Amino acid sequence: PPAIRKISEKHDKVFVTGCLEPDTSQPRANAAFVVLARNKEIDGVIQSIKSVERHFNRWYHYPYVFLNDAEFDDTFKETVRNYTSGAVEFGKVEPGTWGFPDWIDEKVAKEGIAKQGDAAVMYGGMESYHFMCRFYSGFFYNHPLLLKYEWYWRVEPEITYFCDITYDPFLKMIENNKTYGFTIAVKELRETVPNIFRYASAYKRNNNLTSQGLWEMFVEPQEPKEQHDDPNALPDEPKPSSQEPIDPEAMEGEKYNMCHFWSNFEIAKLSWFRSKEYNDFFQTMDRSGGFWMERWGDAPIHSLAAGALLAPRDIHYFRDFGYRHTTIQHCPANAPARQLPRPPFLETTTLDERKRVEEDQYWESWDEAKENGVGCRCR
Ligand code: GDP
Ligand code: MN
């Protein structure tokens, strides 16, 4: 999307071009992988870990924190320990951070969820999915097992990295004074968040937050006034001069363009999520009931919080990370899918497209990858 291009060209640069010899002599950042999962997802979890280890953690050995709303069983824990090269901790979500909060009328919430199920809103009828979204929106960062960490890298079952990551992204985030990193931005399903933007806008307005330039990434551009050839048409109304103060009410017309950072991958600073500002934002959004009466995802919550509270310079686009989850993926510049004629910063491709590409496209060698563009040994 053009908004991402704007961020990445003006305010943010790739951390590393090509491949490096992984430098493991530097001390590690205070960071961990965070994986929320269910026991039955063990196969998908191992697939993800294998990929993370193969492309990054075999050099860096960052620890993992696994969280669950139930106890992890022994098979899950033993299997995970077999595939991880860093320390591993397993925890259960804290009481009060999963399920219905005590201030909500559970009957109303359940009815709301059932209605979304009937309307075939994706995951809308699934209670546990609502719990998960709210947990990732407002609680994971205060889990006791995470309190000792300052940075996290989110991992989900069934993700794939397909390029080597030969530098420490946490250290680069610190060095470059970044707060939040993403690799894919996509459009949300409108029916999951019909009112999210009204609440986020109101929060911003009520707290006198002026955009630092990121908010615009989430605003649908105004449609140009229809031009018609009516000879009796009145001339355009004079526009208010830019000197005039912006009337907050006039901003009410702003519409969400559905754009959000896809949060199944995130590398971010936990202290931002723990900040008063972020938690005020979460509280406001939470109290609206949108996690129950709609199916707000943690991705648009994180994204709109960033829009309200952060600036483009705080965001890092990991355009060099080859990453895939389910049907959406990101290919960096030296990955095969990028050899298709396409604009240079189109980030996401569908898997079908990738398969087609793999069959008959040129694949860069290690040496070429080193010389060219971003991304390292994508395969
Ligand atoms: P999707 O990627 O949006 O299709 O959603 P997922 O089913 O992958 O869920 C997102 C993340 O939350 C994944 O890490 C899941 O393992 C985790 N998750 C979702 N629901 C639950 C749940 O009920 N319990 C636990 N422990 N984890 C869950
Ligand atoms: Mn998932």
Side-chain angles (χ1 to χ4, degrees):
I4 298 185
R5 209 172 308 164
K6 225 155 90 188
I7 291 180
S8 62
E9 282 169 8
K10 277 207 204 144
H11 304 278
D12 176 55
K13 288 197 166 27
V14 65
F15 288 150
V16 163
T17 301
C19 299
L20 300 177
E21 283 309 319
D23 173 13
T24 55
S25 66
Q26 296 264 97
R28 298 293 167 275
N30 184 13
F33 294 102
V34 174
V35 190
L36 176 74
R38 292 158 284 204
N39 286 306
K40 65 176 183 200
E41 293 179 289
I42 185 64
D43 292 346
V45 166
I46 296 306
Q47 184 218 292
S48 299
I49 294 175
K50 278 183 175 170
S51 185
V52 165
E53 290 289 337
R54 175 188 183 194
H55 291 290
F56 172 73
N57 211 40
R58 62 174 158 143
W59 301 299
Y60 291 94
H61 311 306
Y62 273 99
Y64 292 76
V65 175
F66 289 84
L67 299 177
N68 191 350
D69 61 308
E71 294 291 340
F72 282 114
D73 60 39
D74 291 341
T75 322
F76 187 99
K77 292 197 262 193
E78 270 162 43
T79 315
V80 160
R81 285 199 191 98
N82 272 334
Y83 287 93
T84 42
S85 74
V88 182
E89 288 187 290
F90 300 93
K92 197 175 162 180
V93 301
E94 292 283 278
T97 67
W98 194 271
F100 297 107
D102 49 22
W103 51 263
I104 199 130
D105 183 337
E106 220 170 289
K107 194 166 159 276
V108 173
K110 280 179 189 266
E111 279 167 12
I113 291 169
K115 235 174 155 178
Q116 296 163 57
D118 294 344
V121 174
M122 195 178 177
Y123 297 124
M126 202 174 159
E127 247 175 42
S128 63
Y129 199 87
H130 291 258
F131 299 161
M132 179 276 289
C133 291
R134 184 165 174 267
F135 175 77
Y136 258 137
S137 295
F139 301 104
F140 78 98
Y141 43 86
N142 285 327
H143 189 280
L145 290 180
L146 289 189
L147 287 182
K148 55 184 172 294
Y149 296 114
E150 177 55 20
W151 292 88
Y152 77 101
W153 179 335
R154 175 159 155 187
V155 170
E156 275 200 10
E158 293 186 68
I159 55 142
T160 313
Y161 287 93
F162 47 87
C163 307
D164 283 357
I165 299 159
T166 52
Y167 62 92
D168 183 331
F170 298 117
L171 295 181
K172 288 289 176 196
M173 291 286 280
I174 296 168
E175 201 180 294
N176 290 277
N177 213 6
K178 298 286 180 180
T179 298
Y180 185 94
F182 71 98
T183 186
I184 290 175
V186 285
K187 291 211 166 189
E188 187 53 287
L189 300 166
R190 186 175 293 275
E191 63 276 16
T192 65
V193 290
N195 286 294
I196 198 171
F197 200 69
R198 282 205 311 115
Y199 284 102
S201 286
Y203 171 84
K204 194 169 145 280
R205 203 166 47 242
N206 294 337
N207 290 277
N208 295 314
L209 298 170
T210 48
S211 170
Q212 301 175 65
L214 192 62
W215 182 255
E216 287 67 24
M217 174 177 166
F218 305 105
V219 179
E220 184 75 21
Q222 291 294 109
E223 296 216 352
K225 279 241 177 80
E226 220 168 277
Q227 299 278 356
H228 32 80
D229 304 327
D230 179 359
N232 303 318
L234 296 168
D236 280 350
E237 276 182 36
K239 296 214 168 57
S241 89
S242 56
Q243 317 294 28
E244 283 178 50
I246 295 164
D247 172 9
E249 297 305 313
M251 305 295 281
E252 286 215 297
E254 278 188 346
K255 289 223 158 50
Y256 187 23
N257 63 7
M258 300 294 144
C259 189
H260 62 288
F261 304 124
W262 216 31
S263 63
N264 49 73
F265 168 90
E266 280 178 338
I267 292 180
K269 205 182 195 172
L270 287 161
S271 57
W272 178 58
F273 285 103
R274 293 170 186 147
S275 69
K276 182 175 184 309
E277 295 72 28
Y278 181 86
N279 285 279
D280 283 350
F281 176 81
F282 170 71
Q283 290 295 330
T284 307
M285 300 304 279
D286 190 27
R287 287 290 167 152
S288 77
F291 287 105
W292 314 111
M293 306 317 285
E294 300 184 4
R295 206 234 65 207
W296 293 357
D298 53 280
I301 292 285
H302 292 182
S303 300
L304 293 174
L309 302 172
L310 301 177
R313 66 173 176 281
D314 301 317
I315 306 293
H316 182 63
Y317 172 26
F318 282 98
R319 58 197 61 60
D320 53 331
F321 282 20
Y323 177 76
R324 173 198 309 166
H325 181 44
T326 63
T327 56
I328 306 178
Q329 69 173 9
H330 165 75
C331 282
N334 74 353
R338 295 296 298 267
Q339 308 301 326
L340 279 176
R342 56 167 68 244
F345 270 94
L346 187 61
E347 301 83 9
T348 51
T349 52
T350 65
L351 282 190
D352 280 354
E353 201 173 349
R354 179 175 161 81
K355 271 193 202 122
R356 202 176 65 231
V357 163
E358 274 175 349
E359 277 158 23
D360 57 14
Q361 294 291 320
Y362 160 79
W363 196 289
E364 270 175 320
S365 71
W366 160 261
D367 286 334
E368 282 168 314
K370 248 182 167 159
E371 310 256 315
N372 302 330
V374 298
C376 164
R377 279 207 291 203
C378 301
R379 59 206 164 182

